[in-house]
Short mmCIF file of all heavy atoms in Angstrom, two decimals:
data_model
loop_
_atom_site.label_atom_id
_atom_site.label_comp_id
_atom_site.label_asym_id
_atom_site.label_seq_id
_atom_site.Cartn_x
_atom_site.Cartn_y
_atom_site.Cartn_z
N PHE A 762 1.30 0.73 12.90
CA PHE A 762 1.78 1.85 13.59
C PHE A 762 3.46 1.90 13.62
O PHE A 762 3.96 2.86 13.89
CB PHE A 762 1.25 2.11 15.00
CG PHE A 762 1.76 1.11 16.04
CD1 PHE A 762 2.89 1.24 16.77
CD2 PHE A 762 1.06 -0.10 16.17
CE1 PHE A 762 3.22 0.32 17.74
CE2 PHE A 762 1.38 -1.08 17.02
CZ PHE A 762 2.46 -0.82 17.89
N ASP A 763 4.05 0.69 13.46
CA ASP A 763 5.51 0.61 13.61
C ASP A 763 6.10 0.57 12.18
O ASP A 763 7.23 0.35 11.93
CB ASP A 763 5.90 -0.61 14.22
CG ASP A 763 5.52 -1.94 13.57
OD1 ASP A 763 4.82 -1.89 12.61
OD2 ASP A 763 5.92 -2.97 14.18
N ASN A 764 5.28 1.06 11.12
CA ASN A 764 5.69 1.20 9.69
C ASN A 764 5.93 -0.19 9.06
O ASN A 764 6.64 -0.22 8.04
CB ASN A 764 6.80 2.18 9.61
CG ASN A 764 6.43 3.47 10.05
OD1 ASN A 764 5.38 3.95 9.60
ND2 ASN A 764 7.20 4.16 11.02
N THR A 765 5.37 -1.25 9.61
CA THR A 765 5.64 -2.61 9.01
C THR A 765 4.64 -2.49 7.83
O THR A 765 3.50 -2.15 7.95
CB THR A 765 5.23 -3.76 9.94
OG1 THR A 765 6.14 -3.75 11.06
CG2 THR A 765 5.16 -5.01 9.28
N ILE A 766 5.14 -3.04 6.57
CA ILE A 766 4.17 -3.04 5.42
C ILE A 766 3.63 -4.54 5.33
O ILE A 766 4.40 -5.51 5.60
CB ILE A 766 5.01 -2.77 4.21
CG1 ILE A 766 5.45 -1.34 4.34
CG2 ILE A 766 4.12 -2.95 3.02
CD1 ILE A 766 6.39 -0.92 3.25
N THR A 767 2.36 -4.64 5.32
CA THR A 767 1.69 -5.91 5.18
C THR A 767 0.90 -6.08 3.80
O THR A 767 0.53 -5.04 3.31
CB THR A 767 0.72 -6.27 6.42
OG1 THR A 767 -0.35 -5.27 6.37
CG2 THR A 767 1.51 -6.31 7.68
N TRP A 768 0.78 -7.22 3.38
CA TRP A 768 0.09 -7.51 2.13
C TRP A 768 -1.00 -8.53 2.54
O TRP A 768 -0.63 -9.68 2.88
CB TRP A 768 1.02 -7.99 1.08
CG TRP A 768 0.42 -8.21 -0.34
CD1 TRP A 768 -0.31 -9.10 -0.85
CD2 TRP A 768 0.51 -7.11 -1.21
NE1 TRP A 768 -0.74 -8.77 -2.19
CE2 TRP A 768 -0.18 -7.48 -2.41
CE3 TRP A 768 0.97 -5.78 -1.21
CZ2 TRP A 768 -0.42 -6.67 -3.55
CZ3 TRP A 768 0.89 -4.99 -2.44
CH2 TRP A 768 0.22 -5.55 -3.52
N ASN A 769 -2.15 -8.19 2.41
CA ASN A 769 -3.35 -8.98 2.80
C ASN A 769 -3.09 -9.64 4.22
O ASN A 769 -3.32 -10.77 4.49
CB ASN A 769 -3.62 -10.15 1.78
CG ASN A 769 -4.04 -9.57 0.48
OD1 ASN A 769 -4.78 -8.66 0.50
ND2 ASN A 769 -3.78 -10.36 -0.57
N GLY A 770 -2.63 -8.83 5.16
CA GLY A 770 -2.47 -9.22 6.53
C GLY A 770 -1.15 -9.91 6.81
O GLY A 770 -0.90 -10.28 7.96
N GLN A 771 -0.44 -10.10 5.80
CA GLN A 771 0.95 -10.88 5.96
C GLN A 771 2.03 -9.77 5.81
O GLN A 771 2.21 -9.05 5.02
CB GLN A 771 1.13 -11.93 5.00
CG GLN A 771 0.04 -13.07 5.10
CD GLN A 771 -0.05 -13.77 6.38
OE1 GLN A 771 0.90 -14.11 6.96
NE2 GLN A 771 -1.18 -13.85 7.00
N PRO A 772 3.06 -9.90 6.82
CA PRO A 772 4.11 -9.08 6.67
C PRO A 772 4.87 -9.11 5.42
O PRO A 772 5.10 -10.27 4.97
CB PRO A 772 5.13 -9.28 7.97
CG PRO A 772 4.13 -10.08 8.86
CD PRO A 772 3.17 -10.79 7.95
N VAL A 773 5.35 -8.04 4.84
CA VAL A 773 6.17 -7.99 3.68
C VAL A 773 7.67 -7.98 4.18
O VAL A 773 8.04 -6.99 4.93
CB VAL A 773 5.84 -6.83 2.69
CG1 VAL A 773 6.90 -6.64 1.65
CG2 VAL A 773 4.49 -6.93 2.24
N GLY A 774 8.39 -9.01 3.75
CA GLY A 774 9.73 -9.15 4.33
C GLY A 774 10.82 -8.28 3.69
O GLY A 774 11.88 -8.07 4.31
N SER A 775 10.59 -7.81 2.57
CA SER A 775 11.64 -6.91 1.89
C SER A 775 11.05 -6.04 0.80
O SER A 775 9.89 -6.19 0.37
CB SER A 775 12.69 -7.94 1.20
OG SER A 775 12.10 -8.58 0.10
N GLU A 776 11.93 -5.10 0.42
CA GLU A 776 11.46 -4.20 -0.69
C GLU A 776 11.09 -4.95 -2.06
O GLU A 776 10.32 -4.75 -2.66
CB GLU A 776 12.61 -3.24 -0.94
CG GLU A 776 12.31 -2.19 -2.07
CD GLU A 776 11.19 -1.17 -1.69
OE1 GLU A 776 10.82 -1.17 -0.46
OE2 GLU A 776 10.60 -0.53 -2.61
N ASP A 777 12.09 -6.06 -2.23
CA ASP A 777 11.78 -6.86 -3.40
C ASP A 777 10.53 -7.58 -3.43
O ASP A 777 9.89 -7.68 -4.47
CB ASP A 777 12.92 -7.92 -3.57
CG ASP A 777 14.27 -7.29 -3.91
OD1 ASP A 777 14.34 -6.22 -4.42
OD2 ASP A 777 15.27 -8.04 -3.68
N GLU A 778 10.00 -8.01 -2.17
CA GLU A 778 8.79 -8.73 -2.15
C GLU A 778 7.66 -7.90 -2.29
O GLU A 778 6.66 -8.18 -3.06
CB GLU A 778 8.62 -9.39 -0.68
CG GLU A 778 7.37 -10.11 -0.50
CD GLU A 778 7.20 -10.77 0.86
OE1 GLU A 778 8.23 -10.65 1.60
OE2 GLU A 778 6.13 -11.24 1.27
N LEU A 779 7.70 -6.56 -1.81
CA LEU A 779 6.69 -5.51 -2.14
C LEU A 779 6.57 -5.32 -3.63
O LEU A 779 5.58 -5.14 -4.05
CB LEU A 779 7.01 -4.24 -1.36
CG LEU A 779 6.09 -3.04 -1.66
CD1 LEU A 779 4.77 -3.31 -1.25
CD2 LEU A 779 6.66 -1.89 -0.93
N GLN A 780 7.76 -5.11 -4.21
CA GLN A 780 7.82 -4.73 -5.59
C GLN A 780 7.27 -5.91 -6.42
O GLN A 780 6.59 -5.69 -7.47
CB GLN A 780 9.21 -4.30 -6.03
CG GLN A 780 9.57 -2.97 -5.51
CD GLN A 780 10.86 -2.48 -5.93
OE1 GLN A 780 11.54 -2.99 -6.86
NE2 GLN A 780 11.27 -1.45 -5.37
N ALA A 781 7.48 -7.16 -6.01
CA ALA A 781 6.95 -8.23 -6.80
C ALA A 781 5.38 -8.29 -6.62
O ALA A 781 4.67 -8.54 -7.63
CB ALA A 781 7.47 -9.46 -6.19
N HIS A 782 4.81 -8.04 -5.53
CA HIS A 782 3.36 -7.95 -5.37
C HIS A 782 2.77 -6.83 -6.28
O HIS A 782 1.84 -7.02 -6.99
CB HIS A 782 2.97 -7.65 -3.92
CG HIS A 782 3.14 -8.78 -3.02
ND1 HIS A 782 2.37 -9.97 -3.12
CD2 HIS A 782 3.80 -8.82 -1.86
CE1 HIS A 782 2.76 -10.74 -2.18
NE2 HIS A 782 3.56 -10.01 -1.26
N LEU A 783 3.51 -5.61 -6.32
CA LEU A 783 2.99 -4.63 -7.05
C LEU A 783 3.07 -4.89 -8.55
O LEU A 783 2.24 -4.58 -9.32
CB LEU A 783 3.78 -3.28 -6.66
CG LEU A 783 3.57 -2.70 -5.28
CD1 LEU A 783 4.42 -1.66 -4.92
CD2 LEU A 783 2.11 -2.40 -5.13
N ARG A 784 4.19 -5.53 -8.90
CA ARG A 784 4.36 -5.88 -10.36
C ARG A 784 3.25 -6.80 -10.82
O ARG A 784 2.77 -6.79 -11.96
CB ARG A 784 5.77 -6.59 -10.63
CG ARG A 784 6.82 -5.58 -10.79
CD ARG A 784 8.03 -6.18 -11.24
NE ARG A 784 9.24 -5.29 -11.13
CZ ARG A 784 10.01 -5.29 -10.10
NH1 ARG A 784 9.93 -6.06 -9.11
NH2 ARG A 784 11.06 -4.40 -9.98
N GLU A 785 2.88 -7.77 -9.86
CA GLU A 785 1.87 -8.68 -10.28
C GLU A 785 0.54 -7.96 -10.54
O GLU A 785 -0.17 -8.27 -11.40
CB GLU A 785 1.60 -9.60 -9.15
CG GLU A 785 0.58 -10.76 -9.38
CD GLU A 785 0.61 -11.79 -8.21
OE1 GLU A 785 1.71 -11.96 -7.53
OE2 GLU A 785 -0.48 -12.31 -7.91
N ILE A 786 0.22 -6.99 -9.69
CA ILE A 786 -1.08 -6.10 -9.98
C ILE A 786 -0.97 -5.47 -11.27
O ILE A 786 -1.86 -5.43 -11.94
CB ILE A 786 -1.24 -5.18 -8.70
CG1 ILE A 786 -1.80 -5.91 -7.49
CG2 ILE A 786 -2.38 -4.08 -9.08
CD1 ILE A 786 -1.88 -5.07 -6.29
N ALA A 787 0.22 -4.80 -11.48
CA ALA A 787 0.38 -3.80 -12.65
C ALA A 787 0.18 -4.81 -13.95
O ALA A 787 -0.21 -4.27 -14.96
CB ALA A 787 1.69 -3.31 -12.63
N SER A 788 0.58 -6.05 -13.88
CA SER A 788 0.54 -6.90 -15.17
C SER A 788 -0.85 -7.68 -15.21
O SER A 788 -1.06 -8.34 -16.27
CB SER A 788 1.76 -7.85 -15.17
OG SER A 788 1.72 -8.79 -14.08
N ALA A 789 -1.57 -7.72 -14.28
CA ALA A 789 -2.91 -8.44 -14.21
C ALA A 789 -3.88 -7.81 -15.21
O ALA A 789 -3.89 -6.57 -15.45
CB ALA A 789 -3.47 -8.54 -12.83
N GLN A 790 -4.66 -8.69 -15.81
CA GLN A 790 -5.70 -8.29 -16.78
C GLN A 790 -7.03 -9.03 -16.33
O GLN A 790 -7.00 -10.19 -16.20
CB GLN A 790 -5.35 -8.70 -18.21
CG GLN A 790 -4.18 -7.83 -18.75
CD GLN A 790 -4.52 -6.40 -18.83
OE1 GLN A 790 -5.63 -5.91 -19.01
NE2 GLN A 790 -3.47 -5.60 -18.60
N PRO A 791 -8.11 -8.36 -16.01
CA PRO A 791 -8.19 -6.81 -16.07
C PRO A 791 -7.49 -6.21 -14.93
O PRO A 791 -7.32 -6.89 -13.83
CB PRO A 791 -9.80 -6.67 -16.03
CG PRO A 791 -10.13 -7.88 -15.28
CD PRO A 791 -9.32 -9.01 -15.72
N LYS A 792 -7.13 -5.04 -15.01
CA LYS A 792 -6.41 -4.29 -13.97
C LYS A 792 -7.19 -4.19 -12.68
O LYS A 792 -8.31 -3.68 -12.60
CB LYS A 792 -6.04 -2.95 -14.44
CG LYS A 792 -5.15 -2.84 -15.63
CD LYS A 792 -3.73 -2.98 -15.11
CE LYS A 792 -2.84 -2.57 -16.42
NZ LYS A 792 -1.57 -3.30 -16.29
N PRO A 793 -6.73 -4.81 -11.58
CA PRO A 793 -7.44 -4.71 -10.26
C PRO A 793 -7.05 -3.42 -9.65
O PRO A 793 -6.17 -2.66 -10.09
CB PRO A 793 -6.81 -5.75 -9.46
CG PRO A 793 -5.37 -5.98 -10.02
CD PRO A 793 -5.49 -5.66 -11.49
N GLU A 794 -7.95 -3.05 -8.70
CA GLU A 794 -7.63 -1.76 -7.94
C GLU A 794 -6.90 -2.05 -6.75
O GLU A 794 -7.17 -3.10 -6.02
CB GLU A 794 -9.02 -1.08 -7.55
CG GLU A 794 -8.64 0.22 -6.84
CD GLU A 794 -9.99 1.09 -6.62
OE1 GLU A 794 -10.71 1.21 -7.61
OE2 GLU A 794 -10.09 1.50 -5.61
N PHE A 795 -5.86 -1.38 -6.49
CA PHE A 795 -4.86 -1.68 -5.41
C PHE A 795 -5.40 -0.70 -4.21
O PHE A 795 -5.57 0.52 -4.42
CB PHE A 795 -3.44 -1.29 -5.73
CG PHE A 795 -2.49 -1.10 -4.71
CD1 PHE A 795 -2.12 -2.25 -3.91
CD2 PHE A 795 -1.91 0.07 -4.41
CE1 PHE A 795 -1.25 -2.26 -3.06
CE2 PHE A 795 -0.94 0.08 -3.34
CZ PHE A 795 -0.66 -1.05 -2.58
N HIS A 796 -5.67 -1.28 -3.09
CA HIS A 796 -6.15 -0.58 -1.86
C HIS A 796 -5.03 -0.52 -0.88
O HIS A 796 -4.45 -1.52 -0.56
CB HIS A 796 -7.44 -1.11 -1.34
CG HIS A 796 -8.50 -1.08 -2.13
ND1 HIS A 796 -9.56 -2.02 -2.19
CD2 HIS A 796 -8.96 -0.22 -3.13
CE1 HIS A 796 -10.46 -1.72 -3.07
NE2 HIS A 796 -10.14 -0.63 -3.73
N ILE A 797 -4.79 0.72 -0.40
CA ILE A 797 -3.85 0.81 0.71
C ILE A 797 -4.55 1.22 1.88
O ILE A 797 -5.42 2.11 1.79
CB ILE A 797 -2.65 1.86 0.29
CG1 ILE A 797 -1.63 1.85 1.42
CG2 ILE A 797 -3.17 3.25 -0.03
CD1 ILE A 797 -0.34 2.55 1.00
N GLN A 798 -4.29 0.63 3.08
CA GLN A 798 -4.90 1.03 4.30
C GLN A 798 -3.89 1.44 5.33
O GLN A 798 -3.44 0.57 6.10
CB GLN A 798 -5.76 -0.18 4.79
CG GLN A 798 -6.68 0.18 6.01
CD GLN A 798 -7.62 -0.92 6.29
OE1 GLN A 798 -7.63 -2.01 5.78
NE2 GLN A 798 -8.51 -0.64 7.23
N PRO A 799 -3.49 2.76 5.44
CA PRO A 799 -2.38 3.03 6.27
C PRO A 799 -2.92 3.14 7.76
O PRO A 799 -4.20 3.61 7.99
CB PRO A 799 -2.04 4.41 5.85
CG PRO A 799 -3.16 4.88 5.13
CD PRO A 799 -3.83 3.85 4.55
N ASN A 800 -2.13 2.64 8.69
CA ASN A 800 -2.50 2.82 10.15
C ASN A 800 -2.38 4.36 10.46
O ASN A 800 -1.58 5.04 9.85
CB ASN A 800 -1.53 2.07 10.99
CG ASN A 800 -1.83 2.11 12.45
OD1 ASN A 800 -1.59 3.12 13.04
ND2 ASN A 800 -2.53 1.07 13.02
N ARG A 801 -3.23 4.81 11.31
CA ARG A 801 -3.18 6.29 11.59
C ARG A 801 -1.92 6.75 12.23
O ARG A 801 -1.61 7.90 12.16
CB ARG A 801 -4.40 6.75 12.45
CG ARG A 801 -4.39 6.05 13.82
CD ARG A 801 -5.59 6.48 14.67
NE ARG A 801 -5.61 7.92 14.87
CZ ARG A 801 -6.60 8.61 15.14
NH1 ARG A 801 -7.82 8.10 15.24
NH2 ARG A 801 -6.63 9.96 15.30
N LEU A 802 -1.10 5.73 12.73
CA LEU A 802 0.19 6.16 13.44
C LEU A 802 1.37 6.01 12.43
O LEU A 802 2.39 6.25 12.89
CB LEU A 802 0.38 5.31 14.73
CG LEU A 802 -0.75 5.68 15.68
CD1 LEU A 802 -0.52 4.68 16.96
CD2 LEU A 802 -0.82 7.02 16.14
N ALA A 803 1.07 5.37 11.23
CA ALA A 803 2.22 5.13 10.34
C ALA A 803 2.70 6.46 9.83
O ALA A 803 2.14 7.49 9.72
CB ALA A 803 1.62 4.47 9.17
N ASP A 804 4.08 6.45 9.57
CA ASP A 804 4.87 7.60 9.02
C ASP A 804 4.32 7.88 7.72
O ASP A 804 4.14 6.92 6.87
CB ASP A 804 6.38 7.40 9.03
CG ASP A 804 7.03 7.43 10.34
OD1 ASP A 804 6.49 7.87 11.36
OD2 ASP A 804 8.15 6.84 10.36
N TYR A 805 4.21 9.20 7.37
CA TYR A 805 3.68 9.62 6.04
C TYR A 805 4.68 9.04 5.01
O TYR A 805 4.25 8.59 3.99
CB TYR A 805 3.68 11.11 6.06
CG TYR A 805 3.32 11.72 4.68
CD1 TYR A 805 2.02 11.69 4.29
CD2 TYR A 805 4.28 12.26 3.93
CE1 TYR A 805 1.68 12.28 2.98
CE2 TYR A 805 3.86 12.88 2.70
CZ TYR A 805 2.60 12.90 2.22
OH TYR A 805 2.32 13.36 1.03
N LYS A 806 5.99 9.10 5.21
CA LYS A 806 6.98 8.70 4.26
C LYS A 806 6.71 7.22 3.91
O LYS A 806 7.06 6.80 2.75
CB LYS A 806 8.40 8.94 4.78
CG LYS A 806 8.86 8.12 5.82
CD LYS A 806 10.39 8.60 6.23
CE LYS A 806 10.81 7.54 7.22
NZ LYS A 806 12.24 7.75 7.43
N THR A 807 6.33 6.33 4.91
CA THR A 807 6.13 4.93 4.46
C THR A 807 4.96 4.79 3.60
O THR A 807 4.97 4.07 2.56
CB THR A 807 5.91 4.20 5.72
OG1 THR A 807 7.01 4.19 6.73
CG2 THR A 807 5.73 2.65 5.58
N VAL A 808 3.91 5.44 3.97
CA VAL A 808 2.64 5.37 3.03
C VAL A 808 3.06 5.93 1.46
O VAL A 808 2.75 5.27 0.59
CB VAL A 808 1.51 6.25 3.56
CG1 VAL A 808 0.28 6.17 2.69
CG2 VAL A 808 1.15 5.75 5.02
N VAL A 809 3.64 6.99 1.54
CA VAL A 809 4.02 7.64 0.18
C VAL A 809 4.99 6.69 -0.47
O VAL A 809 4.95 6.52 -1.77
CB VAL A 809 4.61 9.04 0.39
CG1 VAL A 809 5.26 9.53 -0.95
CG2 VAL A 809 3.58 9.97 0.78
N HIS A 810 5.94 6.03 0.22
CA HIS A 810 6.87 5.13 -0.40
C HIS A 810 6.04 4.01 -1.15
O HIS A 810 6.40 3.69 -2.26
CB HIS A 810 7.84 4.58 0.67
CG HIS A 810 8.51 3.29 0.21
ND1 HIS A 810 9.70 3.42 -0.54
CD2 HIS A 810 8.32 2.05 0.46
CE1 HIS A 810 10.14 2.20 -0.70
NE2 HIS A 810 9.34 1.30 -0.20
N VAL A 811 5.15 3.41 -0.51
CA VAL A 811 4.28 2.25 -1.11
C VAL A 811 3.47 2.84 -2.36
O VAL A 811 3.55 2.23 -3.48
CB VAL A 811 3.35 1.62 -0.06
CG1 VAL A 811 2.48 0.65 -0.78
CG2 VAL A 811 4.15 1.03 1.08
N MET A 812 2.94 3.96 -2.17
CA MET A 812 2.24 4.56 -3.28
C MET A 812 3.10 5.03 -4.42
O MET A 812 2.69 4.74 -5.66
CB MET A 812 1.32 5.77 -2.85
CG MET A 812 0.26 5.41 -1.78
SD MET A 812 -0.54 6.85 -1.14
CE MET A 812 -1.50 7.30 -2.54
N ALA A 813 4.26 5.38 -4.17
CA ALA A 813 5.16 5.86 -5.30
C ALA A 813 5.67 4.60 -6.01
O ALA A 813 5.76 4.55 -7.27
CB ALA A 813 6.31 6.73 -4.76
N ASP A 814 6.00 3.51 -5.21
CA ASP A 814 6.44 2.29 -5.80
C ASP A 814 5.22 1.71 -6.73
O ASP A 814 5.65 1.25 -7.87
CB ASP A 814 6.77 1.28 -4.77
CG ASP A 814 8.23 1.31 -4.36
OD1 ASP A 814 8.97 2.19 -4.73
OD2 ASP A 814 8.60 0.54 -3.49
N ALA A 815 4.06 1.85 -6.21
CA ALA A 815 2.91 1.27 -7.01
C ALA A 815 2.91 2.06 -8.35
O ALA A 815 2.77 1.44 -9.42
CB ALA A 815 1.63 1.32 -6.25
N GLN A 816 2.86 3.34 -8.25
CA GLN A 816 2.76 4.18 -9.42
C GLN A 816 3.92 3.83 -10.45
O GLN A 816 3.70 3.67 -11.67
CB GLN A 816 2.75 5.59 -9.14
CG GLN A 816 2.58 6.47 -10.38
CD GLN A 816 2.43 7.88 -10.01
OE1 GLN A 816 2.98 8.30 -8.90
NE2 GLN A 816 1.83 8.76 -10.77
N ARG A 817 5.12 3.82 -9.93
CA ARG A 817 6.41 3.61 -10.67
C ARG A 817 6.34 2.19 -11.49
O ARG A 817 6.77 2.11 -12.62
CB ARG A 817 7.62 3.76 -9.81
CG ARG A 817 8.99 3.54 -10.64
CD ARG A 817 10.11 3.69 -9.69
NE ARG A 817 10.15 2.93 -8.49
CZ ARG A 817 10.39 1.66 -8.45
NH1 ARG A 817 10.68 1.01 -9.42
NH2 ARG A 817 10.24 0.97 -7.22
N LEU A 818 5.68 1.27 -10.78
CA LEU A 818 5.76 -0.10 -11.31
C LEU A 818 4.56 -0.30 -12.23
O LEU A 818 4.40 -1.51 -12.79
CB LEU A 818 5.79 -1.09 -10.26
CG LEU A 818 7.16 -1.13 -9.56
CD1 LEU A 818 7.06 -1.97 -8.19
CD2 LEU A 818 8.36 -1.58 -10.33
N GLY A 819 3.71 0.65 -12.37
CA GLY A 819 2.59 0.71 -13.41
C GLY A 819 1.19 0.25 -12.84
O GLY A 819 0.29 -0.04 -13.52
N VAL A 820 1.05 0.39 -11.58
CA VAL A 820 -0.38 0.23 -10.91
C VAL A 820 -1.11 1.48 -11.19
O VAL A 820 -0.68 2.53 -11.00
CB VAL A 820 -0.19 -0.05 -9.38
CG1 VAL A 820 -1.72 0.03 -8.81
CG2 VAL A 820 0.42 -1.17 -9.04
N THR A 821 -2.25 1.35 -12.00
CA THR A 821 -2.89 2.57 -12.45
C THR A 821 -4.16 2.83 -11.71
O THR A 821 -4.74 3.89 -11.88
CB THR A 821 -3.32 2.28 -14.03
OG1 THR A 821 -4.12 1.19 -14.06
CG2 THR A 821 -2.08 2.24 -14.85
N GLN A 822 -4.68 1.88 -10.88
CA GLN A 822 -5.89 2.18 -10.17
C GLN A 822 -5.55 1.82 -8.74
O GLN A 822 -5.34 0.85 -8.25
CB GLN A 822 -6.98 1.08 -10.59
CG GLN A 822 -7.41 1.41 -12.02
CD GLN A 822 -8.56 0.43 -12.42
OE1 GLN A 822 -9.56 0.45 -11.72
NE2 GLN A 822 -8.33 -0.28 -13.55
N MET A 823 -5.66 2.92 -7.90
CA MET A 823 -5.21 2.93 -6.57
C MET A 823 -6.16 3.68 -5.55
O MET A 823 -6.62 4.78 -6.05
CB MET A 823 -3.74 3.48 -6.33
CG MET A 823 -3.17 3.25 -5.05
SD MET A 823 -1.47 3.90 -4.83
CE MET A 823 -0.93 4.20 -6.50
N GLY A 824 -6.52 3.14 -4.46
CA GLY A 824 -7.41 3.80 -3.50
C GLY A 824 -7.00 3.66 -2.06
O GLY A 824 -6.28 2.71 -1.81
N ILE A 825 -7.24 4.66 -1.26
CA ILE A 825 -6.91 4.62 0.05
C ILE A 825 -8.21 4.36 0.80
O ILE A 825 -9.19 4.96 0.65
CB ILE A 825 -6.31 5.93 0.52
CG1 ILE A 825 -5.10 6.34 -0.12
CG2 ILE A 825 -6.11 5.92 2.16
CD1 ILE A 825 -4.53 7.63 0.04
N VAL A 826 -8.11 3.32 1.67
CA VAL A 826 -9.27 2.80 2.39
C VAL A 826 -9.02 2.92 3.87
O VAL A 826 -7.87 3.08 4.33
CB VAL A 826 -9.81 1.39 2.04
CG1 VAL A 826 -10.11 1.25 0.57
CG2 VAL A 826 -8.60 0.39 2.38
N GLY A 827 -9.99 2.89 4.68
CA GLY A 827 -9.93 2.92 6.18
C GLY A 827 -9.72 4.24 6.65
O GLY A 827 -9.25 4.57 7.81
N GLN A 828 -10.22 5.32 6.04
CA GLN A 828 -10.00 6.71 6.47
C GLN A 828 -10.95 7.02 7.48
O GLN A 828 -10.72 7.98 8.25
CB GLN A 828 -10.30 7.60 5.27
CG GLN A 828 -9.17 7.44 4.17
CD GLN A 828 -9.41 8.47 3.07
OE1 GLN A 828 -9.46 9.60 3.36
NE2 GLN A 828 -9.27 7.94 1.84
N GLU A 829 -11.93 6.24 7.89
CA GLU A 829 -12.81 6.46 9.06
C GLU A 829 -12.01 6.52 10.43
O GLU A 829 -12.54 7.19 11.35
CB GLU A 829 -13.90 5.36 9.22
CG GLU A 829 -13.45 3.97 9.39
CD GLU A 829 -13.13 3.35 8.23
OE1 GLU A 829 -13.13 3.73 7.07
OE2 GLU A 829 -12.49 2.04 8.33
N GLN A 830 -10.84 5.82 10.43
CA GLN A 830 -9.98 5.94 11.67
C GLN A 830 -9.51 7.41 11.97
O GLN A 830 -9.07 7.66 13.07
CB GLN A 830 -8.84 5.00 11.50
CG GLN A 830 -7.79 5.37 10.53
CD GLN A 830 -6.63 4.37 10.33
OE1 GLN A 830 -6.14 3.93 11.38
NE2 GLN A 830 -6.28 4.13 9.11
N PHE A 831 -9.63 8.24 11.02
CA PHE A 831 -9.06 9.58 11.19
C PHE A 831 -10.20 10.63 11.55
O PHE A 831 -9.95 11.76 11.91
CB PHE A 831 -8.40 10.12 9.93
CG PHE A 831 -7.30 9.22 9.48
CD1 PHE A 831 -7.44 8.40 8.40
CD2 PHE A 831 -6.14 9.41 10.17
CE1 PHE A 831 -6.29 7.55 8.12
CE2 PHE A 831 -4.94 8.58 9.74
CZ PHE A 831 -5.09 7.61 8.67
N VAL A 832 -11.44 10.06 11.70
CA VAL A 832 -12.53 10.92 11.97
C VAL A 832 -12.70 10.98 13.59
O VAL A 832 -12.82 9.92 14.17
CB VAL A 832 -13.84 10.54 11.37
CG1 VAL A 832 -15.06 11.27 11.86
CG2 VAL A 832 -13.82 10.45 9.78
N ASP A 833 -12.63 12.11 14.17
CA ASP A 833 -12.94 12.25 15.61
C ASP A 833 -14.31 12.06 15.89
O ASP A 833 -15.22 12.56 15.21
CB ASP A 833 -12.46 13.61 16.08
CG ASP A 833 -10.91 13.81 16.08
OD1 ASP A 833 -10.24 12.78 16.20
OD2 ASP A 833 -10.46 15.07 15.89
N GLN A 834 -14.65 11.24 16.93
CA GLN A 834 -16.08 10.97 17.25
C GLN A 834 -16.31 11.56 18.66
O GLN A 834 -15.76 11.79 19.54
CB GLN A 834 -16.23 9.46 17.17
CG GLN A 834 -15.80 8.93 15.86
CD GLN A 834 -16.74 7.83 15.50
OE1 GLN A 834 -17.76 7.56 16.05
NE2 GLN A 834 -16.40 7.28 14.27
#
């Protein structure tokens, strides 16, 4: 909710670190699917930033998970 970006539960310390993770996915064979799980309180621009970086760096399979947090019960 504070717009901290994490990778497999670990905080990403910099933009360079995020891009290194994304490049690794983009170059892997076979291509893995990248899942992004935004916190419901995260800023839209933070989520879009990560998705745009992924696309720009060549990640071709991306999915958004954890959407059940947005369903009112």
Side-chain angles (χ1 to χ4, degrees):
F762 68 89
D763 63 356
N764 297 308
T765 298
I766 297 171
T767 61
W768 192 272
N769 292 330
Q771 300 300 313
V773 173
S775 68
E776 181 70 16
D777 289 339
E778 184 181 348
L779 173 63
Q780 290 184 11
H782 285 303
L783 294 170
R784 280 189 190 96
E785 186 176 325
I786 288 176
S788 65
Q790 292 298 328
K792 297 274 188 208
E794 185 170 311
F795 170 64
H796 293 149
I797 184 169
Q798 184 174 8
N800 182 286
R801 70 182 293 156
L802 301 176
D804 288 341
Y805 178 76
K806 70 178 184 174
T807 301
V808 177
V809 170
H810 165 81
V811 173
M812 293 176 71
D814 273 1
Q816 182 181 28
R817 180 177 52 78
L818 293 168
V820 175
T821 57
Q822 298 182 53
M823 188 176 347
I825 299 174
V826 297
Q828 296 183 47
E829 62 276 358
Q830 67 181 319
F831 300 102
V832 176
D833 290 330
Q834 305 219 5

